[in-house]
Amino acid sequence: MKRILILLFPLAALGLFSCQEDAERTIRTDLTQEANQFLTISEAWGESLFFAMISFNSYQNIESDTLPGCPEISVNSTEGTVILNFSSGCEEGESVRSGKLILQFPVSGSIQATWSLAYEGYSYRDWEIEGKRSFTFTSLRNIREEFDGLSITTSNELNSTLSGSFNHQQLLNGFSLSEIVSRGSMQGLNPAGRSIKMSLQADRIANFTCFLSGNSRLADSAAELWEVTRGNENLRHSLTYTPLDSCQTQVDVLLPDGRTLQLRP
């Protein structure tokens, strides 16, 4: 009997170690998936920001093919609305925009300094975004953004819902918009129903020329701290954006377990 017990114990121990390895592998996979989900949220929020930074007067004179996706531009001067329709744009492959962006500006003569950006069936690459974002000038070149209930859904039906508040500064090159520098935070629920929060740890800088080229969909540089609540724990992912040539951005993440991964390019 003793001989049997001696033989069984190493087998049981081997099974225990195997289970621990499987559990560790699952946790590691979840962390990587979370990091990519956070990157998707950041991309979806930031991709259309410049469309909201173009003034109503500029939209009255701008040509469709100068904007990414070559949307049909409809301007209603009486109501102060601009509709960008991407249903018949100029993009091909995976980087195709579809749906509409609806901008509501103050009507002529109004003293309001607030405008909005709403999404109607708007999608790009492998995600769709719904909701409304509000923008208010706080000074000549500084803008306050707020939103609540912004919904981002990936092509495999993973949905995150967010609210947030940001401050944007418009930087000019002569009389033309050059960059948007942003600080702020957003919070909400991830596809698993867990609480998440993102805060910018350094200026988020986005280049307007890269936006117009259609080659950039991420910030040129930024440092994001993402926190996700799991039970009684707050796990932290740190995403760092570094500019490369040709309007491309490298994105690295420091995972909660100490590993570093390159998510883009």
Side-chain angles (χ1 to χ4, degrees):
M1 180 64 70
K2 288 182 179 179
R3 210 174 294 165
I4 295 174
L5 290 175
I6 291 172
L7 289 172
L8 287 178
F9 178 75
L11 291 175
L14 182 61
L16 177 61
F17 294 148
S18 177
C19 290
Q20 289 175 337
E21 289 175 358
D22 289 342
E24 183 179 358
R25 193 177 299 113
T26 299
I27 291 172
R28 287 177 179 271
T29 301
D30 287 346
L31 292 177
T32 304
Q33 289 175 345
E34 279 182 344
N36 278 289
Q37 287 172 5
F38 295 149
L39 180 57
T40 296
I41 293 171
S42 183
E43 176 187 357
W45 168 77
E47 181 272 334
S48 57
L49 178 62
F50 270 115
F51 287 112
M53 295 293 113
I54 300 173
S55 70
F56 181 76
N57 288 337
S58 294
Y59 272 119
Q60 290 180 306
N61 301 298
I62 202 167
E63 296 293 334
S64 173
D65 59 4
T66 62
L67 293 177
C70 309
E72 176 186 341
I73 304 172
S74 301
V75 178
N76 187 318
S77 300
T78 303
E79 298 181 358
T81 59
V82 174
I83 299 176
L84 306 179
N85 189 342
F86 293 88
S87 60
S88 57
C90 57
E91 294 168 313
E92 297 179 352
E94 65 176 6
S95 300
V96 177
R97 293 170 176 83
S98 62
K100 298 178 181 179
L101 298 178
I102 302 173
L103 293 142
Q104 179 65 61
F105 292 94
V107 295
S108 179
S110 172
I111 61 172
Q112 289 184 341
T114 298
W115 68 102
S116 65
L117 168 65
Y119 301 92
E120 186 176 298
Y122 183 76
S123 64
Y124 178 56
R125 293 179 63 85
D126 60 350
W127 49 258
E128 180 175 352
I129 185 168
E130 297 178 347
K132 186 176 181 180
R133 300 161 67 173
S134 296
F135 302 87
T136 304
F137 273 113
T138 56
S139 62
L140 183 60
R141 292 296 173 189
N142 291 284
I143 297 165
R144 177 81 167 175
E145 176 189 356
E146 295 180 324
F147 57 87
D148 187 29
L150 199 67
S151 175
I152 299 168
T153 305
T154 64
S155 57
N156 52 356
E157 302 300 323
L158 297 177
N159 174 263
S160 300
T161 305
L162 301 139
S163 59
S165 179
F166 291 87
N167 291 308
H168 307 294
Q169 182 182 13
Q170 296 178 325
L171 300 185
L172 302 183
N173 182 6
F175 295 100
S176 300
L177 181 61
S178 173
E179 292 179 333
I180 295 292
V181 179
S182 306
R183 293 296 291 260
S185 64
M186 67 175 85
Q187 54 280 323
L189 298 176
N190 71 359
R194 299 188 180 103
S195 296
I196 57 175
K197 180 180 180 179
M198 186 279 283
S199 54
L200 289 171
Q201 303 298 293
D203 288 343
R204 178 190 186 275
I205 302 174
N207 183 280
F208 188 55
T209 301
C210 287
F211 163 76
L212 291 177
S213 73
N215 295 324
S216 175
R217 62 183 188 277
L218 297 170
D220 295 275
S221 63
E224 300 174 348
L225 176 62
W226 286 89
E227 297 177 84
V228 56
T229 301
R230 286 190 175 186
N232 295 324
E233 285 188 294
N234 280 339
L235 302 183
R236 294 185 170 190
H237 298 67
S238 296
L239 273 65
T240 303
Y241 298 69
T242 306
L244 303 175
D245 293 336
S246 303
C247 294
Q248 298 300 303
T249 303
Q250 178 174 318
V251 183
D252 299 292
V253 59
L254 175 62
L255 298 174
D257 62 4
R259 288 180 300 144
T260 300
L261 299 176
Q262 183 176 316
L263 302 180
R264 296 286 191 280

